[in-house]
Amino acid sequence: MSDISAVKDALRRQHIETPSWAYGNSGTRFKVFAQPGVPRTPQEKIDDAAQVHRYTGVAPTVALHIPWDRVDDYGALAEYARAAGVRVGAINSNVFQDDDYKLGSVTNPDPAVRKKALNHLLECVDIMDATGSRDLKLWFSDGINYPGQDDIHARQDRLAEALSAVYERLGDDQRFLLEYKFFEPAFYATDVPDWGTAYAHCLRLGPKAQVVVDTGHHAPGTNIEFIVAFLLREGKLGGFDFNSRFYADDDLMVGAADPFQLFRIMHEVVRGGGYDEQTGVAFMLDQCHNIEPKIQGQIRSVMNVQEATAKALLVDADALRAAQRDGDVLAANAVLMDAYNTDVRPLLAELREEMGLDPDPIAAYLRSGYLEKVIEERKDGTAAGWGA
Amino acid sequence: MSDISAVKDALRRQHIETPSWAYGNSGTRFKVFAQPGVPRTPQEKIDDAAQVHRYTGVAPTVALHIPWDRVDDYGALAEYARAAGVRVGAINSNVFQDDDYKLGSVTNPDPAVRKKALNHLLECVDIMDATGSRDLKLWFSDGINYPGQDDIHARQDRLAEALSAVYERLGDDQRFLLEYKFFEPAFYATDVPDWGTAYAHCLRLGPKAQVVVDTGHHAPGTNIEFIVAFLLREGKLGGFDFNSRFYADDDLMVGAADPFQLFRIMHEVVRGGGYDEQTGVAFMLDQCHNIEPKIQGQIRSVMNVQEATAKALLVDADALRAAQRDGDVLAANAVLMDAYNTDVRPLLAELREEMGLDPDPIAAYLRSGYLEKVIEERKDGTAAGWGA
Amino acid sequence: MSDISAVKDALRRQHIETPSWAYGNSGTRFKVFAQPGVPRTPQEKIDDAAQVHRYTGVAPTVALHIPWDRVDDYGALAEYARAAGVRVGAINSNVFQDDDYKLGSVTNPDPAVRKKALNHLLECVDIMDATGSRDLKLWFSDGINYPGQDDIHARQDRLAEALSAVYERLGDDQRFLLEYKFFEPAFYATDVPDWGTAYAHCLRLGPKAQVVVDTGHHAPGTNIEFIVAFLLREGKLGGFDFNSRFYADDDLMVGAADPFQLFRIMHEVVRGGGYDEQTGVAFMLDQCHNIEPKIQGQIRSVMNVQEATAKALLVDADALRAAQRDGDVLAANAVLMDAYNTDVRPLLAELREEMGLDPDPIAAYLRSGYLEKVIEERKDGTAAGWGA
Amino acid sequence: MSDISAVKDALRRQHIETPSWAYGNSGTRFKVFAQPGVPRTPQEKIDDAAQVHRYTGVAPTVALHIPWDRVDDYGALAEYARAAGVRVGAINSNVFQDDDYKLGSVTNPDPAVRKKALNHLLECVDIMDATGSRDLKLWFSDGINYPGQDDIHARQDRLAEALSAVYERLGDDQRFLLEYKFFEPAFYATDVPDWGTAYAHCLRLGPKAQVVVDTGHHAPGTNIEFIVAFLLREGKLGGFDFNSRFYADDDLMVGAADPFQLFRIMHEVVRGGGYDEQTGVAFMLDQCHNIEPKIQGQIRSVMNVQEATAKALLVDADALRAAQRDGDVLAANAVLMDAYNTDVRPLLAELREEMGLDPDPIAAYLRSGYLEKVIEERKDGTAAGWGA
């Protein structure tokens, strides 16, 4: 896509969703370092998300997490978001923080626990009806810590049953996105540990069941862009949960650990049609900021995705195809690296000015005094967090 | 299965296939250390495989590798095997050692190379017709070393086309087993890197396409027994290529690096019906002995699989189910560990004597003088190897 | 050590320390599942630790964690322990849970924070004076999450300075054990990430600085027994923090994930003199039980170490040396495997009876009614935990 | 280093050594794909290395590998190199390709084999005397494949003895660089598996024993730049063997898999004084080109190191220190990322023109017709390779 104006058009319509929980306190099992100015309510989280959109122009939606964002009137919450300049995006279910879920939620050996978990999932679809959300994100922490603890096979049966019930409940314009994770919090066997498992369940159910790729949820060395390419080819890539990691954690700012990998992923997205206007691929951030400021961290993350996307759009697809066809290994690699090595920051600064934004979102946000304001406003009350 | 005689019956009908290439010279990219007495012909490899069966009683077939085991008359070779006391098992294709395959075989950007590779695969089915083999093992070294080198998406299209052509050629009683491998020799993206990819291709084609799990071919930390349980539940587990590894290699004797993992795998096999009499699951060794004596290494490997199987058969399934149902984590784990901690060597010695074998296969083999004999007989000529 | 009575003597004097924090509530960043009957005070933790010793006979000490076990009078606490049938073991420092430590403790760029952290470490030595403890365990969660966040080089300077100050404070019969950890909670660079770093600092300081090997704190695939052998040869192995893991967590019961690895570790300990009577090697558990019952989990863990030790003591050292000297790869491996494959549970049952204990510690503990009793006694008040 | 002319000066005196074996044929254990035009003699390898220097201007030396580059007169070979426009650099020993080394070289249980290996190492120092080389690179493939195969402890004793003998033989201006490798070709325990082992041996011997960091030789997830910073701080970083990898291989072009990592490494080198004029840090490539053209691959690799170095030199050290001192996580990270995101290719093109070189080395090399010429000249005879 050598035409710069076409690249800019594509970047202008980019849509990156930020997660409400990124604005609350979070940490590790060792310590949660609380930050000043953190939201106390879902509405305040939405206010913070609106700041990210205000300075980047490409983060128009915010994902909710139930029960962390539980309110009485979800329609009113959606209205609140619109008034703040954003919209409610995906609904994220949570079946991992109730004492009943110690040995699993939808895969628990106890049918009563399974029913409770399923009811929560169905409630999330009710919320989607109220907020107008298209996507239900399903992440199951379910798994076992010790060999023999439970029956791997039987747990898949239970999982299939729950997924089927949720699928049946979905409306015509609704989907669920099934997330996989290599491990944690289960330490021996996780019930949806890899893309193959998620894919097999989704394939059986139909087009409203799609796989979501969380970039932090893979075994060491896994080629994530291969999975992206494969799922796009199969029509089964529902979206991304973006974040990054050096080790097994999954909460660093996307692109912070391996910006080249993020570029390669976005290259496969573009190549496979996942960035086309009609695509159903959702681009979401799923990361929490343990030690860095939260709103600023989200702005930086959105910019990282933007930069990787811009580079991916700049790949000379014709030259690449020609070198690949000729079997010229170094020339083909060089085409890709040329795009990656390009400094796209001037292009993005220009684009922002055309969009009526400050060319430097971080500087503009810092100048705005928003953080100082909310630190003052929110100094009383209980800061939002995971409640772990 | 607390009934010892039932356990013994199950062990008596065990069938572990050894690979012809395990008897030839092999090594690393740094050095192949040649051993004395190594076979020079497919017939001599079969002779060595027959020794393994002679002392273990549970290794009645030998897999062939084409072209390493190319002969003019495969029917005669099958006859030779029968005379030696074994049968020809799976046919392994090889599309990785021709200069034309530098950038891939069935996924090569060049259609002429793809055609050549496909013809080899079809020739392997011809050989199966002649040998009466049921299984065609397909391993593709295809992949790319550098980002951009070739199009990941297009290579899947080419792979699907080749697999479909092979599938069509299969006879009624024939199958192909598609092998996946995390990496090597491709160093950036492998065309069949994980079970999900193999599964998706096999699912599309039908019941004669099955996935084979090579125990050495996974990302660090991968829970292999989960994959085994999943594929069994889906009816897509065609068999195993057994070996073991501490790192990224895959040629140590099965069970040598992590005997507990091998036990857990066999436990899932037993639990999922993969050890039942009518099962189509093939248990094959796929390992080469770089520094240890080859026949002895195969005998030890067969015994390792036997021991893991015996322990898996000894698991008290009723007690396990009860503890799992009760959510008693430690009790359930203890049931499994009880079986694992059992010393099954006396049981297997007894079984061998009942089968008319020496209770100590290694000692009996060493006493036999076979190795000394073949060292003398085979001192001239060219020892078989990989020809890399 | 083929002499069974010598093996039994060695096992009789085994000493495995349990950690006070294993008896409190713990979990993952996602959820802490509280358990009934959990201790509310350091004294109650000691009571629970005494149960483990009561049924195993080889867990006579309990490690404390400051400030989780902070009391006014440590001498009195030590007396309490003696009355309960155990002794206070190592003192574990904690410089990771104060808000000031967000960017590090002894390596923090802020000198005031560094001073605060150092003062805590020195306070721990004061506590050792009061409890009569020999060992101070130093684990630093210090590190950085993002490239550039702080200066790796300067942080080593600060670390060296703090370690030196602690070293100077140690009494003649006191040591510190420096723990390394591959990652977590720091996600990009950890200040003591590997044994080499810990070793280099300890070497510079002298004999009272020793390295502690936490079995869960290594990169995937690391050969831990090599490190054990190396440190023993250098006289720098201070002890173990035992636990196990399949992935990156480090809180499963020792031996639960890879019992063969635990055996190999104990084999190197025995071979290198680390199990001799005069050895300074401390054998400690450092694991928390997220979903399994805590006291029972500690008993099981102690038994796992016992079993691995028994097998290691059974290795036929003469036969091993002979096979190694002859370069007989399979024979040497077989000597080791013979010991590993031995079922040592009857031997340990016999030993326990000789020691006046129940041959089955788990069954005896469960029969005792202790857990039911403390559930009742401890139903009010606040259960101990990490306070993260 | 914000002064562009100072950055250019630093880049002008860069010195990256290429390895003679990169110009010969190489491959994996599965297949060596021979390339046309490959050198047949050490002299022809030097000719190819001279091409790399001719077009990059920063690759003035070529490392030799004994016995692959064995000649009768090493003084004459050094003269040949000078005439070709380059110099002989490090001498690489090879104690892994003789049949005697099957169970190890300097750590072999057989004293006769150890002596043979040591003699080879000493011969390499003789060669250094003749070529005027400063550095002897020691890589030992020594290790064991199976637990119990040999005694880990005793092998360290033997290693120490051999290293000491080599150390004694070194001249006043000579050093040895001890290389570590996580695994391969040994598959269970490697005798020098990590930097800690190499460091401990070198520390004991003295200043002429230094550690060399091969960027491909670490466990998954290892923070290599931490090791670089640590060794520089200790005065024990002798140099680099550059290459890159996605998995366990170590032969991709440096910077190809993770250019950000290469930048972080060079940042620590610059920060720790390892790029200063008087530094003893050697920057060497150690990679072979399995499928890509060899000379072109070396040019690309040299350019990758140049680009990473240029970015590292552009880091605003004052701004970085200030942000680090203030504990501003995101600002500090941003300073580093600003340098990384800079497109340094224009700067390097300018530098080359100032040095009298073509601004585009790859294009200039391809235009030169050198490859076509040597394909014709070298079509007869035996191409150089590893001889595995």
Side-chain angles (χ1 to χ4, degrees):
Chain A
M1 200 185 275
S2 54
D3 179 355
I4 289 296
S5 74
V7 170
K8 277 190 186 165
D9 283 349
L11 290 168
R12 199 172 279 117
R13 62 179 167 75
Q14 186 154 30
H15 174 176
I16 302 164
E17 181 162 305
T18 74
S20 70
W21 54 98
Y23 304 102
N25 283 321
S26 62
T28 69
R29 61 181 175 132
F30 294 102
K31 173 71 176 169
V32 173
F33 293 102
Q35 294 191 12
V38 152
R40 299 160 297 179
T41 63
Q43 288 81 1
E44 289 180 355
K45 294 183 198 170
I46 288 171
D47 291 343
D48 287 6
Q51 290 291 310
V52 177
H53 185 48
R54 176 173 184 168
Y55 294 103
T56 63
V58 292
T61 59
V62 53
L64 300 185
H65 193 114
I66 309 301
W68 297 342
D69 295 320
R70 183 158 278 160
V71 293
D72 290 334
D73 184 340
Y74 290 96
L77 190 67
E79 193 50 50
Y80 183 92
R82 274 188 291 272
V86 290
R87 282 169 289 122
V88 169
I91 301 300
N92 287 256
S93 59
N94 174 328
V95 283
F96 55 89
Q97 289 197 314
D98 191 289
D99 280 332
D100 283 342
Y101 300 147
K102 181 172 159 180
L103 301 181
S105 65
V106 296
T107 66
N108 198 298
D110 181 343
V113 177
R114 296 204 295 272
K115 187 167 182 198
K116 174 176 176 168
L118 177 58
N119 283 342
H120 172 74
L121 302 183
L122 298 176
E123 179 204 354
C124 286
V125 186
D126 295 340
I127 293 171
M128 292 165 72
D129 291 341
T131 57
S133 297
R134 179 190 58 176
D135 292 340
L136 171 64
K137 185 122 58 73
L138 299 176
W139 173 60
F140 299 104
S141 70
D142 294 36
I144 56 182
N145 278 10
Y146 289 100
Q149 178 187 324
D150 199 7
D151 189 286
I152 291 173
H153 198 113
R155 291 175 80 93
Q156 288 298 317
D157 294 338
R158 299 169 198 149
L159 174 64
E161 191 180 329
L163 291 175
S164 178
V166 176
Y167 194 89
E168 292 308 313
R169 168 64 184 82
L170 292 171
D172 288 345
D173 298 326
Q174 293 174 334
R175 317 182 300 175
F176 74 62
L177 307 180
L178 181 55
E179 188 168 341
Y180 58 92
K181 191 177 185 191
F182 186 49
F183 84 100
E184 197 210 18
F187 288 145
Y188 162 59
T190 293
D191 293 323
V192 190
D194 54 19
W195 78 264
T197 305
Y199 167 82
H201 281 286
C202 289
L203 191 70
R204 190 170 303 253
L205 288 170
K208 293 193 286 186
Q210 296 277 317
V211 180
V212 62
V213 174
D214 184 302
T215 48
H217 287 190
H218 300 85
T222 300
N223 184 325
I224 301 173
E225 58 267 30
F226 175 90
I227 298 172
V228 169
F230 196 93
L231 288 173
L232 274 170
R233 183 178 174 274
E234 298 274 330
K236 276 295 178 193
L237 180 65
F240 288 94
D241 268 359
F242 279 126
N243 51 59
S244 81
R245 59 170 195 145
F246 287 94
Y247 305 98
D249 50 288
D250 61 349
D251 267 331
L252 299 186
M253 300 185 303
V254 54
D258 190 347
F260 182 42
Q261 182 189 56
L262 181 60
F263 161 74
R264 297 193 311 264
I265 290 171
M266 291 309 302
H267 168 63
E268 293 302 332
V269 167
V270 170
R271 188 276 177 234
Y275 198 76
D276 295 350
E277 294 229 30
Q278 308 310 328
T279 185
V281 179
F283 298 89
M284 304 172 284
L285 303 184
D286 183 7
Q287 53 187 48
C288 291
H289 304 284
N290 292 351
I291 59 168
E292 65 273 29
K294 292 161 195 296
I295 298 170
Q296 192 177 339
Q298 290 289 298
I299 293 175
R300 180 71 264 166
S301 301
V302 167
M303 291 170 70
N304 284 353
V305 176
Q306 267 189 309
E307 291 173 19
T309 307
K311 291 179 179 194
L313 291 167
L314 286 172
V315 170
D316 185 337
D318 293 336
L320 185 60
R321 262 193 304 273
Q324 290 173 341
R325 191 189 52 229
D326 296 347
D328 190 334
V329 175
L330 290 179
N333 177 247
V335 171
L336 208 68
M337 296 314 292
D338 273 347
Y340 178 66
N341 285 324
T342 301
D343 189 343
V344 295
R345 293 174 300 174
L347 171 73
L348 288 165
E350 202 177 282
L351 174 73
R352 287 186 195 109
E353 291 195 309
E354 291 172 15
M355 292 170 73
L357 301 170
D358 191 291
D360 184 341
I362 296 283
Y365 164 72
L366 291 177
R367 273 198 316 272
S368 76
Y370 179 83
L371 184 59
E372 293 74 9
K373 182 173 74 82
V374 295
I375 287 177
E376 181 59 27
E377 287 173 5
R378 299 173 182 172
K379 67 187 169 192
D380 300 322
T382 303
W386 285 21
Chain B
M1 201 185 278
S2 55
D3 180 354
I4 289 296
S5 74
V7 170
K8 277 191 186 163
D9 283 348
L11 290 168
R12 199 173 279 117
R13 61 177 167 77
Q14 187 153 29
H15 174 174
I16 301 164
E17 182 162 306
T18 74
S20 69
W21 54 99
Y23 304 101
N25 283 320
S26 62
T28 69
R29 61 181 174 132
F30 294 103
K31 173 72 177 168
V32 173
F33 292 102
Q35 293 191 11
V38 153
R40 298 159 297 179
T41 63
Q43 286 81 1
E44 288 181 355
K45 295 183 200 172
I46 287 171
D47 291 342
D48 287 6
Q51 290 292 310
V52 177
H53 185 49
R54 177 173 184 166
Y55 293 103
T56 63
V58 293
T61 58
V62 54
L64 300 184
H65 194 114
I66 309 301
W68 298 341
D69 295 320
R70 184 157 278 161
V71 292
D72 288 334
D73 184 340
Y74 290 96
L77 190 67
E79 193 50 51
Y80 183 92
R82 273 188 292 273
V86 290
R87 282 170 289 122
V88 170
I91 301 301
N92 286 254
S93 60
N94 174 327
V95 282
F96 55 88
Q97 289 196 315
D98 190 289
D99 281 331
D100 283 342
Y101 299 147
K102 180 171 160 181
L103 302 180
S105 64
V106 295
T107 65
N108 197 297
D110 181 343
V113 176
R114 296 204 295 273
K115 188 168 182 199
K116 174 176 177 169
L118 177 58
N119 283 343
H120 172 75
L121 303 183
L122 298 176
E123 179 204 354
C124 286
V125 187
D126 295 340
I127 293 171
M128 292 165 71
D129 291 341
T131 57
S133 297
R134 179 190 59 175
D135 293 340
L136 172 64
K137 183 122 61 67
L138 298 175
W139 173 59
F140 299 104
S141 70
D142 294 35
I144 56 182
N145 277 9
Y146 289 100
Q149 178 186 326
D150 198 7
D151 190 285
I152 291 173
H153 198 113
R155 291 176 78 94
Q156 289 298 317
D157 294 339
R158 299 171 199 149
L159 174 64
E161 191 180 329
L163 291 175
S164 179
V166 176
Y167 193 88
E168 292 308 314
R169 168 64 184 83
L170 293 171
D172 288 346
D173 297 326
Q174 293 174 334
R175 317 182 300 174
F176 75 63
L177 307 180
L178 181 56
E179 188 168 340
Y180 57 91
K181 190 178 186 191
F182 186 49
F183 84 100
E184 197 213 15
F187 288 146
Y188 162 58
T190 293
D191 293 322
V192 190
D194 54 20
W195 77 264
T197 305
Y199 167 82
H201 281 286
C202 289
L203 191 69
R204 189 169 303 252
L205 288 170
K208 294 192 284 187
Q210 296 276 316
V211 181
V212 63
V213 173
D214 184 303
T215 47
H217 288 188
H218 301 85
T222 299
N223 184 325
I224 300 173
E225 58 268 31
F226 175 90
I227 297 172
V228 168
F230 197 93
L231 288 173
L232 274 170
R233 184 179 174 273
E234 298 274 331
K236 276 294 177 194
L237 181 65
F240 289 94
D241 267 359
F242 280 126
N243 52 62
S244 80
R245 59 170 195 146
F246 287 94
Y247 305 98
D249 51 286
D250 61 350
D251 267 330
L252 298 186
M253 298 186 304
V254 56
D258 190 345
F260 183 41
Q261 182 189 55
L262 181 59
F263 162 74
R264 299 193 310 264
I265 289 171
M266 291 309 303
H267 168 62
E268 293 301 333
V269 166
V270 170
R271 187 272 176 243
Y275 198 75
D276 295 350
E277 294 229 31
Q278 309 309 328
T279 185
V281 179
F283 298 88
M284 304 172 283
L285 303 184
D286 182 7
Q287 54 189 46
C288 292
H289 305 283
N290 292 350
I291 60 169
E292 65 272 31
K294 293 163 196 297
I295 297 170
Q296 192 178 338
Q298 290 289 298
I299 294 175
R300 181 69 265 166
S301 301
V302 166
M303 292 171 70
N304 284 352
V305 176
Q306 268 190 307
E307 292 174 19
T309 306
K311 292 179 179 196
L313 291 167
L314 286 172
V315 169
D316 184 338
D318 293 338
L320 184 62
R321 262 192 305 272
Q324 290 173 341
R325 191 189 52 228
D326 296 347
D328 191 334
V329 175
L330 290 179
N333 178 246
V335 172
L336 208 68
M337 297 313 293
D338 274 347
Y340 178 67
N341 285 325
T342 302
D343 189 343
V344 294
R345 293 174 299 174
L347 172 73
L348 287 166
E350 202 176 281
L351 174 72
R352 287 185 196 110
E353 292 194 310
E354 292 171 15
M355 293 169 72
L357 301 169
D358 192 290
D360 185 340
I362 296 282
Y365 164 72
L366 291 177
R367 274 197 317 270
S368 75
Y370 180 83
L371 184 59
E372 292 75 8
K373 182 173 74 84
V374 295
I375 287 177
E376 180 60 25
E377 288 174 3
R378 299 173 183 171
K379 67 184 171 194
D380 300 321
T382 304
W386 285 21
Chain C
M1 201 183 277
S2 55
D3 179 354
I4 288 296
S5 75
V7 170
K8 276 191 187 163
D9 283 348
L11 290 168
R12 200 173 279 118
R13 61 177 168 79
Q14 186 153 29
H15 174 173
I16 302 164
E17 181 161 306
T18 74
S20 70
W21 55 98
Y23 305 102
N25 282 321
S26 62
T28 68
R29 62 182 174 131
F30 294 103
K31 172 72 177 169
V32 173
F33 292 102
Q35 293 191 12
V38 153
R40 297 159 298 180
T41 63
Q43 289 80 2
E44 289 180 355
K45 294 182 199 171
I46 287 171
D47 291 342
D48 288 6
Q51 291 292 308
V52 177
H53 185 48
R54 177 174 186 165
Y55 294 103
T56 63
V58 292
T61 59
V62 53
L64 299 185
H65 194 114
I66 310 302
W68 296 342
D69 295 320
R70 184 157 277 161
V71 293
D72 289 333
D73 184 339
Y74 290 96
L77 191 67
E79 194 50 52
Y80 183 92
R82 274 187 291 272
V86 290
R87 282 170 288 121
V88 169
I91 302 300
N92 286 255
S93 60
N94 174 328
V95 283
F96 54 87
Q97 289 195 314
D98 190 289
D99 281 332
D100 282 344
Y101 299 147
K102 180 171 160 180
L103 301 181
S105 65
V106 296
T107 65
N108 198 299
D110 182 343
V113 177
R114 295 205 295 273
K115 189 169 182 198
K116 174 176 177 169
L118 177 58
N119 284 342
H120 172 74
L121 302 183
L122 299 176
E123 179 204 355
C124 285
V125 186
D126 295 340
I127 293 172
M128 292 165 70
D129 291 341
T131 56
S133 297
R134 179 191 58 176
D135 292 340
L136 172 63
K137 184 119 61 68
L138 299 175
W139 173 61
F140 300 105
S141 70
D142 293 36
I144 56 181
N145 278 8
Y146 289 101
Q149 177 187 325
D150 198 5
D151 189 288
I152 291 173
H153 198 114
R155 291 175 79 94
Q156 289 298 317
D157 294 338
R158 299 170 199 150
L159 174 64
E161 192 181 328
L163 291 175
S164 179
V166 176
Y167 194 88
E168 292 308 312
R169 169 65 184 84
L170 292 172
D172 288 345
D173 298 326
Q174 293 175 334
R175 316 182 301 174
F176 73 63
L177 306 181
L178 181 55
E179 187 168 342
Y180 58 90
K181 190 179 186 191
F182 186 50
F183 83 100
E184 198 211 16
F187 289 146
Y188 161 59
T190 293
D191 293 322
V192 190
D194 53 20
W195 76 264
T197 305
Y199 167 83
H201 281 286
C202 289
L203 191 70
R204 189 168 303 251
L205 289 170
K208 295 193 284 188
Q210 295 278 318
V211 181
V212 63
V213 173
D214 184 303
T215 46
H217 288 189
H218 301 84
T222 299
N223 184 325
I224 300 173
E225 57 268 30
F226 175 90
I227 297 171
V228 169
F230 196 94
L231 289 173
L232 274 170
R233 183 178 173 275
E234 297 274 330
K236 277 294 178 194
L237 180 65
F240 288 95
D241 268 359
F242 280 127
N243 52 60
S244 80
R245 59 171 196 145
F246 287 95
Y247 304 98
D249 50 287
D250 62 350
D251 267 330
L252 299 186
M253 299 185 303
V254 54
D258 190 347
F260 182 43
Q261 182 190 56
L262 182 60
F263 161 75
R264 298 193 311 262
I265 289 171
M266 291 310 302
H267 168 62
E268 293 301 333
V269 167
V270 170
R271 188 272 176 241
Y275 197 75
D276 294 350
E277 294 229 32
Q278 309 309 329
T279 184
V281 180
F283 298 88
M284 303 171 284
L285 302 184
D286 183 7
Q287 54 188 46
C288 292
H289 305 283
N290 292 350
I291 60 169
E292 64 273 29
K294 292 161 196 299
I295 298 169
Q296 191 177 338
Q298 289 289 296
I299 294 175
R300 180 69 266 166
S301 301
V302 167
M303 293 170 68
N304 285 352
V305 176
Q306 269 189 307
E307 292 174 18
T309 307
K311 292 179 178 195
L313 291 167
L314 287 172
V315 170
D316 185 337
D318 293 337
L320 185 61
R321 262 192 305 274
Q324 291 173 341
R325 192 188 51 228
D326 297 347
D328 191 334
V329 175
L330 290 179
N333 177 246
V335 171
L336 207 69
M337 297 313 293
D338 273 348
Y340 178 67
N341 285 324
T342 302
D343 190 342
V344 295
R345 293 175 299 174
L347 172 73
L348 287 165
E350 202 175 281
L351 174 72
R352 287 186 196 109
E353 291 195 311
E354 291 171 16
M355 293 169 72
L357 301 170
D358 192 289
D360 184 341
I362 296 283
Y365 164 73
L366 290 177
R367 274 198 316 271
S368 76
Y370 179 82
L371 183 59
E372 293 74 9
K373 182 173 76 80
V374 296
I375 287 177
E376 180 60 26
E377 288 174 3
R378 300 173 182 170
K379 67 185 170 194
D380 300 322
T382 304
W386 285 21
Chain D
M1 200 183 276
S2 55
D3 180 353
I4 288 296
S5 74
V7 170
K8 276 190 186 165
D9 282 348
L11 290 169
R12 199 173 279 116
R13 63 178 166 76
Q14 185 153 31
H15 174 175
I16 301 163
E17 182 162 307
T18 74
S20 70
W21 54 98
Y23 305 101
N25 283 321
S26 62
T28 69
R29 61 180 175 135
F30 295 103
K31 172 71 176 169
V32 173
F33 292 103
Q35 294 190 12
V38 154
R40 297 158 299 178
T41 64
Q43 288 80 2
E44 288 180 355
K45 294 182 199 172
I46 287 172
D47 291 342
D48 287 6
Q51 290 292 310
V52 177
H53 186 48
R54 176 173 186 168
Y55 293 103
T56 64
V58 293
T61 58
V62 53
L64 299 184
H65 194 114
I66 310 300
W68 297 342
D69 294 320
R70 184 157 277 161
V71 292
D72 290 332
D73 184 341
Y74 289 97
L77 191 67
E79 194 50 51
Y80 183 93
R82 274 188 292 273
V86 291
R87 282 170 289 121
V88 169
I91 301 300
N92 286 255
S93 60
N94 174 326
V95 283
F96 54 89
Q97 289 196 314
D98 191 289
D99 280 333
D100 282 342
Y101 299 147
K102 181 171 158 181
L103 301 180
S105 65
V106 296
T107 66
N108 197 298
D110 181 343
V113 176
R114 296 205 293 275
K115 187 167 181 199
K116 174 177 178 169
L118 177 57
N119 284 342
H120 172 74
L121 302 183
L122 298 176
E123 179 204 355
C124 286
V125 187
D126 295 340
I127 293 172
M128 293 165 71
D129 290 340
T131 57
S133 297
R134 180 189 59 177
D135 293 339
L136 172 64
K137 184 122 58 71
L138 298 176
W139 173 59
F140 299 104
S141 70
D142 294 36
I144 55 181
N145 278 9
Y146 288 101
Q149 177 187 326
D150 197 6
D151 188 286
I152 291 173
H153 198 113
R155 292 176 79 93
Q156 288 298 316
D157 294 339
R158 299 170 198 149
L159 174 64
E161 191 181 328
L163 291 176
S164 179
V166 176
Y167 193 88
E168 292 308 314
R169 168 65 184 84
L170 291 172
D172 288 345
D173 297 326
Q174 292 174 335
R175 317 182 300 175
F176 75 62
L177 307 180
L178 182 55
E179 188 168 340
Y180 57 92
K181 191 178 185 191
F182 186 49
F183 84 100
E184 197 212 18
F187 288 145
Y188 162 59
T190 293
D191 293 321
V192 190
D194 53 20
W195 77 264
T197 305
Y199 167 83
H201 281 285
C202 289
L203 192 69
R204 189 168 304 251
L205 289 170
K208 294 192 285 186
Q210 296 277 316
V211 180
V212 63
V213 173
D214 184 303
T215 47
H217 288 189
H218 301 85
T222 300
N223 184 326
I224 300 173
E225 57 267 29
F226 175 90
I227 297 172
V228 169
F230 196 93
L231 289 174
L232 273 171
R233 183 179 174 275
E234 298 275 330
K236 276 295 178 194
L237 181 65
F240 288 95
D241 268 358
F242 281 126
N243 51 60
S244 81
R245 58 171 196 144
F246 287 94
Y247 305 98
D249 50 287
D250 61 350
D251 267 332
L252 298 186
M253 299 185 302
V254 54
D258 190 346
F260 183 42
Q261 182 190 55
L262 181 60
F263 162 74
R264 298 193 312 263
I265 289 171
M266 290 310 302
H267 168 62
E268 294 301 333
V269 167
V270 170
R271 188 271 177 242
Y275 197 76
D276 295 350
E277 294 229 30
Q278 308 309 328
T279 184
V281 179
F283 299 88
M284 303 171 286
L285 302 184
D286 184 7
Q287 54 188 45
C288 292
H289 304 283
N290 293 350
I291 60 168
E292 65 273 30
K294 292 162 196 296
I295 298 170
Q296 192 178 340
Q298 289 289 297
I299 294 175
R300 179 71 265 165
S301 300
V302 167
M303 292 170 69
N304 284 352
V305 176
Q306 269 190 308
E307 291 173 19
T309 307
K311 291 179 179 194
L313 291 166
L314 287 172
V315 170
D316 185 337
D318 293 336
L320 184 61
R321 263 192 303 272
Q324 289 172 342
R325 192 188 51 228
D326 297 347
D328 190 334
V329 175
L330 289 179
N333 177 246
V335 171
L336 208 68
M337 298 312 293
D338 273 348
Y340 178 67
N341 285 323
T342 302
D343 188 344
V344 294
R345 293 175 298 174
L347 172 72
L348 287 165
E350 201 176 282
L351 175 72
R352 286 184 197 111
E353 291 195 311
E354 291 171 16
M355 292 170 72
L357 301 170
D358 191 291
D360 184 341
I362 296 283
Y365 164 72
L366 291 177
R367 271 199 317 271
S368 75
Y370 180 83
L371 184 59
E372 292 75 7
K373 181 173 75 82
V374 295
I375 287 177
E376 180 60 25
E377 287 173 4
R378 299 172 182 171
K379 67 186 169 193
D380 299 321
T382 304
W386 284 21

